[in-house]
Amino acid sequence: QVQLVESGGGLVQAGGSLRLSCAASGRLFSSYAMGWFRQAPGKEREFVASISWSGVHTYYADSVKGRFTTSRDNAKNTVYLQMNSLKPEDTAVYYCAARQSRVDTYYYDRREYNDWGQGTQVTVSS
């Protein structure tokens, strides 16, 4: 089990950029696949991006592909989500999630994840 704390959210104009961070506690961070999800008011939590424990494999939702990039620094127990060309429809609470995995792969189903952060608000104004 890991504890996750997101940061970096805020208010930004359309077309702008933000970088979210997710800091994890625990010594086994490098064995966890990590995911980013978001939830807008009145909507279900949806997948955004995932990265394997090595950082080699990544996967993105079609809605963010080409605009968002996830990366990780296992030495710092941190995963990042760089968000560029933001749109008003990107407005949501963003969550990071962790799943211990023997296989170096990504996961896009939220039911695969055991540990979640508290979320950080991202608001994109038009």
Side-chain angles (χ1 to χ4, degrees):
Q1 187 176 4
V2 293
Q3 284 74 48
L4 305 171
V5 179
E6 302 97 335
S7 61
L11 174 64
V12 63
Q13 288 189 331
S17 298
L18 281 175
R19 187 195 197 200
L20 304 184
S21 299
C22 174
S25 66
R27 297 178 297 167
L28 299 177
F29 177 73
S30 59
S31 67
Y32 282 79
M34 301 296 294
W36 288 97
F37 293 78
R38 66 187 182 186
Q39 188 166 17
K43 295 188 176 181
E44 291 191 354
R45 192 170 298 189
E46 65 174 4
F47 170 76
V48 175
S50 179
I51 187 167
S52 66
W53 52 253
S54 71
V56 170
H57 306 290
T58 57
Y59 186 70
Y60 298 92
D62 288 344
S63 59
V64 307
K65 200 172 297 182
R67 300 188 297 122
F68 290 11
T69 302
T70 187
S71 61
R72 65 192 295 160
D73 185 339
N74 286 342
K76 296 182 178 180
N77 280 16
T78 302
V79 63
Y80 305 98
L81 184 68
Q82 177 67 43
M83 305 185 295
N84 299 328
S85 303
L86 282 161
K87 305 175 181 179
E89 51 264 43
D90 294 318
T91 295
V93 177
Y94 283 71
Y95 300 88
C96 68
R99 183 201 191 279
Q100 198 163 22
S101 178
R102 294 182 179 180
V103 180
D104 188 28
T105 189
Y106 49 76
Y107 299 88
Y108 51 81
D109 188 336
R110 64 185 182 188
R111 295 170 295 182
E112 295 277 6
Y113 290 89
N114 303 314
D115 301 302
W116 293 82
Q118 83 290 348
T120 185
Q121 176 71 45
V122 171
T123 303
V124 184
S125 63
S126 57

